[in-house]
Amino acid sequence: MILAEGMLKPGALKGKNILITGGGTGLGKSMGEYFLELGANIVITSRKLDVLLATAEEMMAAKGGKVIPIACDVREIEQVEAMWKEATGQLGQIHVVLNNAAGNFISPTERLSTNAFNTVLDIVLKGTSQVTLTAGKDWIAKKQAGVFLNIVTTYAWTGSGYVVPSAAAKAGVLALTRSLAVEWAKYDIRSNAIAPGPFPTEGAWSRLLPGDLVKKFDPAKKVPVGRVGEHQELANLAAYLVSDYSSYVNGEVMTIDGGEWLKGAGEFNNLDVIPEEMWDMMEASRGKKA
Ligand code: COA
């Protein structure tokens, strides 16, 4: 198995300047590391400058290249605009925006306060649209090409209980992705999304499912291929979608979940609990009737 291997050829992202929201930790960091390895310069943003500074140091020591950390709460438009000014000021042009920053609370919906609900909507939907609008307007004004890659989730189209503000917000991000893919293609701006299934991260897993809950709701058990994802697998897909190799891919959402959401959707998929002997019995009884 080559799960942990990079897929694109060396230098595939040379000359690209890529901005990653939520780039200091988790999946954002993993994707950033691979972009850096492929020759890109990256800007990483989040609310926590200390985390960003440490990540930037670590990444540059490991992979070389340039990593620019900029503190920015994507919910605050003034901070988003200041961050964009700083990023473009330092790098000249940003070629790719990876909207990865997210927030989520696992909870019965009726237990969420209005502020809790709005907090998730604000980070995921408002944050993504604010970064997208800020970047897109600047690209259009300067006649620069651009690529958006937005991280959504498979419950953006199915919806999901217990993560309702996240589901509503991610559905909005998916609509934003597909809408702008058409509207802004004339400006040479592409928009795509990735819907990842379970990829273990510190933030999402230990905080969203504290204590024994992770064991009790082992996500690997829901995945037909029988395992969770490797970060490099997601990084490979992301690198392809931000690279020029995917120039003809626009308005697409690529699912990378080992078949997880389809397993939940197919009416008879849970019949995999039936043992072979029982299928044998059913087959035998069918034979008798014939
Ligand atoms: N479940 C339900 N409600 C929660 C909650 C939880 N686990 N944690 C916080 N809230 C509520 C708060 O009580 C508050 O509502 P209130 O003012 O009515 O009391 C509201 O949500 C906002 O909380 P606050 O902590 O002030 O928000 P914040 O802006 O400081 O931080 C997050 C929000 C999402 C960034 C932060 O909670 C966080 O880092 N979460 C874990 C990381 C995460 O979600 N990662 C994303 C994985 S996809």
Side-chain angles (χ1 to χ4, degrees):
M1 290 287 246
I2 50 166
L3 306 182
E5 272 182 32
M7 180 183 80
L8 293 190
K9 54 187 162 193
L13 296 179
K14 201 166 171 14
K16 301 266 185 222
N17 297 325
I18 302 178
L19 185 138
I20 307 171
T21 66
T25 55
L27 297 176
K29 182 182 172 194
S30 297
M31 290 185 276
E33 277 170 346
Y34 188 44
F35 297 165
L36 207 56
E37 193 180 311
L38 292 171
N41 296 314
I42 61 169
V43 178
I44 51 174
T45 82
S46 79
R47 291 176 306 165
K48 296 176 187 150
L49 187 59
D50 54 335
V51 173
L52 293 173
L53 286 166
T55 298
E57 285 297 318
E58 182 194 324
M59 279 177 156
M60 285 189 286
K63 311 277 181 191
K66 194 187 271 187
V67 182
I68 300 173
I70 304 178
C72 171
D73 186 334
V74 290
R75 292 172 288 189
E76 305 296 333
I77 187 63
E78 297 78 19
Q79 291 190 36
V80 170
E81 287 174 348
M83 174 276 288
W84 186 256
K85 206 170 159 200
E86 170 81 19
T88 50
Q90 288 210 38
L91 290 174
Q93 179 178 355
I94 301 292
H95 304 91
V96 174
V97 169
L98 172 51
N99 280 304
N100 166 73
N104 201 356
F105 301 136
I106 293 190
S107 169
T109 310
E110 69 278 13
R111 287 176 180 250
L112 292 173
S113 69
T114 302
N115 188 32
F117 204 103
N118 287 343
T119 295
V120 175
L121 289 183
D122 283 352
I123 297 169
V124 178
L125 183 52
K126 198 171 120 186
T128 302
S129 60
Q130 291 191 153
V131 173
T132 300
L133 222 66
T134 301
K137 283 178 178 176
D138 193 41
W139 283 338
I140 292 166
K142 292 176 179 162
K143 295 190 173 18
Q144 292 173 345
V147 174
F148 288 111
L149 180 59
N150 301 328
I151 302 300
V152 294
T153 162
T154 51
Y155 60 69
W157 52 88
T158 61
S160 175
Y162 305 97
V163 285
V164 170
S166 170
K170 292 286 193 182
V173 173
L174 184 54
L176 180 88
T177 308
R178 288 172 165 157
S179 305
L180 290 179
V182 175
E183 190 183 331
W184 283 356
K186 60 178 176 281
Y187 300 121
D188 212 357
I189 297 173
R190 286 192 297 130
S191 300
N192 289 298
I194 295 179
F199 282 84
T201 65
E202 187 56 28
W205 289 45
S206 66
R207 274 176 288 182
L208 291 174
L209 294 171
D212 278 351
L213 280 180
V214 172
K215 281 185 210 141
K216 203 166 176 186
F217 296 100
D218 179 4
K221 291 195 179 130
K222 287 172 61 212
V223 182
V225 302
R227 63 173 178 85
V228 295
E230 290 276 341
H231 283 209
Q232 185 64 48
E233 293 178 288
L234 179 67
N236 283 340
L237 178 57
Y240 166 68
L241 287 174
V242 302
S243 77
D244 294 339
Y245 296 108
S246 63
S247 295
Y248 205 50
V249 181
N250 186 31
E252 187 53 82
V253 53
M254 295 222 184
T255 303
I256 178 163
D257 74 342
E260 184 202 33
W261 87 268
L262 278 170
K263 182 175 181 180
E267 187 177 358
F268 293 102
N269 282 343
N270 57 0
L271 294 192
D272 57 8
V273 296
I274 294 182
E276 284 299 314
E277 306 80 60
M278 201 172 285
W279 289 117
D280 289 345
M281 278 165 56
M282 286 190 270
E283 202 175 317
S285 66
R286 224 173 38 232
K288 271 182 209 143
K289 273 178 206 152

